[in-house]
Amino acid sequence: MTVSKKSLHIDIPVKLTEAKVVFSIGALAFEGDLPASIFHLQLIENDVADWKAISEVVAVFHTNAGHVTLHDSAYNTDRGIATGNPYKGLVSDLMKRGVQIELCGATAKVHGWDNADLLPQVRVNTDAMARTIQLVQQGFIKITE
């Protein structure tokens, strides 16, 4: 993403003391070569750090975005390529910053993936819809990507 050198005035500054957010990621849209959902997760993590806020951020990958959670070999098999998972470093960085990464169990079943196919520390939920409902009922704000 190109950064403008123009000055931008923020009319509505936002600073939160707490953020409970679940990202529902069913497909990848891109800003340049970076998936927008990952860019947005990085953005909210930067905001939370700047605010020194308490946060819980969960990213639920499902449907046409589930492959983001696969290790290189499983990714190559699923995508029919030999380059490995290009998102693994970005996902790993998000997890180091406190984002919980989850894969929809229904998506995994449809694709024939098991836990051994996933990047380290990726958790599998029952299914994306049930998990999102659960988190919203617990006070999380849902962002759909």
Side-chain angles (χ1 to χ4, degrees), residues 22-109:
V22 55
F23 283 72
S24 174
I25 306 165
L28 299 182
F30 289 85
E31 292 200 28
D33 291 331
L34 182 63
S37 56
I38 291 178
F39 170 73
H40 295 150
L41 284 159
Q42 292 170 335
L43 186 62
I44 196 66
E45 282 299 312
N46 291 342
D47 287 343
V48 164
D50 289 346
W51 302 331
K52 298 178 179 28
I54 297 168
S55 71
E56 291 179 69
V57 179
V58 178
V60 179
F61 288 88
H62 61 92
T63 317
N64 293 318
H67 61 282
V68 169
T69 64
L70 300 175
H71 63 57
D72 285 341
S73 177
Y75 188 95
N76 287 347
T77 300
D78 184 73
R79 307 302 283 179
I81 61 172
T83 59
N85 182 343
Y87 312 113
K88 66 184 177 191
L90 296 167
V91 170
S92 175
D93 179 63
L94 288 169
M95 288 192 281
K96 287 177 188 169
R97 297 170 69 182
V99 176
Q100 182 169 308
I101 304 293
E102 297 183 10
L103 171 64
C104 168
T107 297
K109 287 178 186 174

Side-chain angles (χ1 to χ4, degrees), residues 101-119:
I101 304 293
E102 297 183 10
L103 171 64
C104 168
T107 297
K109 287 178 186 174
V110 166
H111 287 271
W113 303 328
D114 64 20
N115 301 79
D117 292 323
L118 305 179
L119 293 169

